[in-house]
Amino acid sequence: MRLTRPMLAATAAAAVLVLAGCASGGGADDRAADVPETATGTLEHLAAEVKCTPNMQTDADTIRQALCKKGEEKYVLATFSTDRGQREWIDTAKDYGGYYLVGRRWVAVGHQDVVEALRGTLGGDLEVGTDHSAHSGHSGH
């Protein structure tokens, strides 16, 4: 099994969340009102859609992962060669908390406000990781 790459990728995603400070942006009113059709394409194509110059962290056959910036905040943008590889990566990374924008063989990981803003351009589905640090004022379920 290739658990090393998903675990390595998840660690990188967790590092971005730690670097970004794990602050929550407050409430977003717009929720699913204006969500476009989910984008598809290469990491470079998706990055161009959200006006990011990707800082490549992993460039492998199974996963391509880059850091992007939106204002002062950083987020991870990753593409996958298989649906299964994507799901394994997300399931592992979610243990570190965070917010995930999930599309067809791609994911963006960052703070809630950043991910919600990206959703306005890329579409996709929002998923929330399990928060092991009780720093955000949420008492999860």
Side-chain angles (χ1 to χ4, degrees):
M1 292 269 162
R2 294 181 188 146
L3 289 178
T4 337
R5 279 194 183 136
M7 287 170 62
L8 189 61
T11 302
V16 166
L17 295 172
V18 170
L19 284 174
C22 280
S24 179
D29 261 35
D30 307 45
R31 295 191 19 169
D34 296 315
V35 178
E37 185 174 331
T38 302
T40 58
T42 65
L43 188 139
E44 289 79 5
H45 174 77
L46 296 169
E49 289 286 321
V50 293
K51 296 173 179 57
C52 157
T53 302
N55 177 3
M56 292 301 291
Q57 303 295 306
T58 306
D59 194 353
D61 291 340
T62 55
I63 181 174
R64 299 185 73 225
Q65 177 176 293
L67 287 177
C68 286
K69 285 178 101 174
K70 184 165 186 66
E72 301 257 332
E73 297 189 51
K74 294 178 183 171
Y75 61 95
V76 171
L77 185 60
T79 56
F80 304 87
S81 60
T82 67
D83 295 328
R84 180 178 175 180
Q86 176 186 15
R87 183 44 52 193
E88 287 174 354
W89 187 93
I90 292 169
D91 289 347
T92 302
K94 278 177 138 183
D95 286 342
Y96 297 95
Y99 293 85
Y100 299 78
L101 181 62
V102 181
R104 180 184 287 159
R105 294 194 184 171
W106 62 264
V107 65
V109 186
H111 289 265
Q112 181 178 7
D113 55 341
V114 172
V115 171
E116 287 175 349
L118 293 172
R119 189 176 190 212
T121 303
L122 297 176
D125 296 316
L126 290 173
E127 296 187 24
V128 180
T130 55
D131 187 7
H132 292 297
S133 70
H135 293 127
S136 68
H138 300 112
S139 39
H141 72 307

